[in-house]
Amino acid sequence: MSLQTVIVDDEPLARDLLSVLLAEHQDIKVVAQCKNGQEAISYLQEKPVDLLFLDVQMPKIGGFDIIERLGLRHLPPTIFVTAYQEHAVRAFDVNAVDYLTKPVHSDRLNIALERVREKIAAKTAVMTQEKLTAVLTGLRIMTEELRPSTPRFLVRDGEKEILLAVDTIEWIEAAEYYCCLHTKGRKYMLRETIADLSSKLDARKFVRIHRSTIVNLDNIREIYRDGQGEGSVVLIDGKMLRMSRTGRQKLTELGKA
């Protein structure tokens, strides 16, 4: 018997990747992919679901809101999908809740699925009301903790993950739902929008000079103006980056242009 499975994630690529990985499991049947919280709530209230993959952080109606609106009684066995870093992962483990971190990898997915199969086979609740409350409380606290400037980012480096010191980042470019961090000739991808990442960085050191670019002020060598509008900055390694009118105003306010 196949587990009727629903994927809830606001990112199309993330939904597609998870769907492809799940297709390798004969006992998993993806019956719906919901792109936002409202779609998920409507589907879960109307259709029977055996397994739910739920993105924790989505705009407007996030994973927290979906869980609270449905309540434990209507919540199927759930595997959280999260972009939170190592401290969040530990919190999930403590509360015995299955989770996946983005980008999802098949080996970790297999482990999560096996845990859910065992719980379903044993006919035991995946979460008690107390655990559900503890998870929601812990995740909300972590969301608040992530708001200040983050001194390090957990990024993938080949087959391993490393803690990248923010001070070593030379510049950042947007890549849809991800950001590319440039440092010492290397590139690292981080699942953050450039707007979210900008809010976490020290505004006295990192300036968003363009809608798709953030630069470390310590790494700027030269600044060129183009009349009263846009311009460009040259980094220490000679890399030239476009600068918008707004970006130039920010540098001016900091006494850099």
Side-chain angles (χ1 to χ4, degrees):
M1 181 177 177
S2 298
L3 296 177
Q4 306 296 294
T5 302
V6 173
I7 299 171
V8 182
D9 200 307
D10 62 309
E11 300 179 28
L13 292 178
R15 294 196 305 270
D16 292 343
L17 172 60
L18 187 52
S19 181
V20 169
L21 293 175
L22 289 172
E24 299 177 5
H25 298 266
Q26 295 183 352
D27 62 336
I28 302 294
K29 181 179 180 181
V30 178
V31 294
Q33 294 187 31
C34 302
K35 63 179 180 293
N36 56 56
Q38 187 56 58
E39 284 187 9
I41 291 171
S42 298
Y43 190 94
L44 292 167
Q45 287 177 334
E46 297 175 1
K47 303 289 181 65
V49 176
D50 300 313
L51 177 59
L52 174 66
F53 285 86
L54 181 60
D55 187 12
V56 171
Q57 190 173 19
M58 294 183 292
K60 295 185 178 180
I61 302 177
F64 304 140
D65 304 309
I66 293 172
I67 293 173
E68 290 180 339
R69 294 190 189 187
L70 288 175
L72 185 60
R73 181 180 177 183
H74 300 288
L75 187 68
T78 301
I79 295 177
F80 289 100
V81 183
T82 175
Y84 291 118
Q85 301 182 20
E86 75 279 10
H87 61 290
V89 171
R90 295 193 194 102
F92 278 119
D93 277 337
V94 168
N95 286 285
V97 176
D98 289 299
Y99 68 89
L100 295 170
T101 54
K102 295 183 178 181
V104 175
H105 294 277
S106 59
D107 53 348
R108 184 63 186 85
L109 173 62
N110 294 341
I111 293 172
L113 288 175
E114 190 57 34
R115 289 176 179 173
V116 171
R117 291 185 186 106
E118 291 174 356
K119 290 176 180 179
I120 292 176
K123 297 183 179 180
T124 57
V126 174
M127 283 188 293
T128 63
Q129 183 64 51
E130 292 75 17
K131 284 185 176 180
L132 175 60
T133 301
V135 169
L136 290 175
T137 301
L139 288 174
R140 290 195 183 282
I141 291 173
M142 285 182 287
T143 300
E144 293 301 317
E145 289 178 345
L146 285 172
R147 293 186 187 279
S149 176
T150 306
R152 292 181 178 84
F153 290 116
L154 186 69
V155 296
R156 184 166 296 279
D157 184 16
E159 295 300 318
K160 63 181 183 297
E161 291 181 314
I162 63 172
L163 286 170
L164 182 67
V166 169
D167 288 344
T168 67
I169 299 173
E170 298 164 359
W171 67 286
I172 302 167
E173 63 178 325
E176 295 190 2
Y177 289 99
Y178 290 79
C179 279
C180 182
L181 313 181
H182 295 260
T183 175
K184 299 178 182 178
R186 300 288 303 277
K187 298 179 182 179
Y188 301 98
M189 300 302 292
L190 182 69
R191 185 192 174 267
E192 292 269 3
T193 65
I194 197 164
D196 289 341
L197 187 56
S198 179
S199 68
K200 296 177 183 178
L201 295 169
D202 187 345
R204 297 167 299 180
K205 185 167 185 177
F206 289 90
V207 177
R208 190 173 179 180
I209 62 170
H210 191 272
R211 64 181 181 181
S212 60
T213 309
I214 297 173
V215 66
N216 185 335
L217 293 179
D218 293 338
N219 198 49
I220 295 177
R221 187 179 73 192
E222 299 169 345
I223 298 174
Y224 290 90
R225 303 183 183 185
D226 183 12
Q228 299 299 315
E230 298 182 350
S232 59
V233 300
V234 178
L235 306 183
I236 292 175
D237 64 359
K239 174 71 176 180
M240 181 175 286
L241 303 174
R242 289 181 58 197
M243 177 175 61
S244 66
R245 180 191 296 271
T246 302
R248 179 176 160 183
Q249 290 175 346
K250 292 177 181 178
L251 288 180
T252 301
E253 291 171 0
L254 291 169
K256 295 291 183 178

